[in-house]
Amino acid sequence: MAKLFKRECHKCGGSGFLPHYAGIYNGQCFKCSGKGYFAVKTDPAILDARNAKAAEKRAAKKEAERQAYIKRNFWRKIANGIRHAVWAAENEAAKAAAEAIVDGKQIITGEIISTKWVDEVYAYGQRILKMVVKDDRGFKVWGTVPRSISEANDDALKGQRVTFSATVQASKDDDKFGFFKRPTKAAIAATN
């Protein structure tokens, strides 16, 4: 007959009793039947060594996966950081070169950067098409797309050059960004 070794029950910690199950079978451990140990064929020291080796293998595999992830994404993060820095520098240079907005009625000629449908504040359920225009003088203005050009597809407006007359007011936070209202004489400008 093979030699059997005692291994402490991990459920009850070797006591054979589970206090939180005191009302069921007088708290007897279900795993070891109240003995506090198991009879195993392999020496517990060998089992512990195997478990430790398996844990080391899992940790090494996890670390290798982490290192591979870092290597995969390192250059991507560097490239994204450089791209973002170049973009920020170009935007800062363009903003510095832009003229400050002068309040009042003026003619705006520039490129439509973006369009967006927004809910009308004064009429429930209606939506208005708004646009951001970067003027040839460098500043940007936001306002309602004039009716004369709004009949075109709003996606097709982005990137188009437009000319219109409007009352412009500079933003309180940024003198190179403003808002226009009551646009008139609007037309899609010819591209050069």
Side-chain angles (χ1 to χ4, degrees):
M1 184 169 184
K3 183 177 178 183
L4 296 176
F5 297 93
K6 286 185 179 180
R7 184 167 176 84
E8 184 180 279
C9 176
H10 63 275
K11 190 80 171 174
C12 62
S15 68
F17 178 74
L18 298 172
H20 47 281
Y21 285 112
I24 303 170
Y25 295 116
N26 294 325
Q28 177 181 323
C29 178
F30 303 114
K31 192 82 174 169
C32 64
S33 301
K35 291 186 266 180
Y37 64 89
F38 295 107
V40 293
K41 292 181 182 177
T42 310
D43 187 5
I46 295 171
L47 289 175
D48 290 340
R50 282 185 195 163
N51 289 343
K53 190 174 180 182
E56 284 177 17
K57 253 185 172 176
R58 283 192 300 272
K61 183 179 178 185
K62 191 173 184 179
E63 180 62 21
E65 288 173 355
R66 190 178 78 78
Q67 290 296 330
Y69 175 80
I70 289 170
K71 285 179 185 176
R72 264 194 323 266
N73 291 310
F74 176 75
W75 292 110
R76 185 180 310 150
K77 287 182 180 180
I78 294 291
N80 285 343
I82 291 170
R83 207 174 301 127
H84 179 72
V86 168
W87 175 80
E90 287 173 354
N91 280 353
E92 197 62 38
K95 191 173 181 180
E99 292 181 20
I101 294 177
V102 179
D103 290 352
K105 187 87 169 171
Q106 54 185 293
I107 295 174
I108 304 290
T109 302
E111 181 183 347
I112 299 174
I113 296 174
S114 67
T115 59
K116 179 180 179 182
W117 286 98
V118 295
D119 292 329
E120 171 60 73
V121 177
Y122 301 108
Y124 178 76
Q126 290 185 357
R127 295 175 58 83
I128 294 178
L129 185 61
K130 299 277 190 174
M131 68 179 173
V132 175
V133 176
K134 182 173 183 181
D135 190 81
D136 292 340
R137 293 168 278 181
F139 58 80
K140 296 177 185 175
V141 288
W142 159 268
T144 305
V145 175
R147 251 191 212 137
S148 58
I149 63 169
S150 68
E151 297 184 6
N153 183 1
D154 60 314
D155 291 333
L157 286 175
K158 186 175 177 182
Q160 295 285 330
R161 289 191 52 77
V162 66
T163 301
F164 60 91
S165 177
T167 304
V168 179
Q169 181 180 6
S171 170
K172 293 175 186 165
D173 301 327
D174 186 2
D175 64 344
K176 309 222 173 147
F177 184 83
F179 306 95
F180 68 86
K181 56 186 175 181
R182 295 188 290 279
T184 57
K185 304 175 191 166
I188 299 291
T191 56
N192 295 337

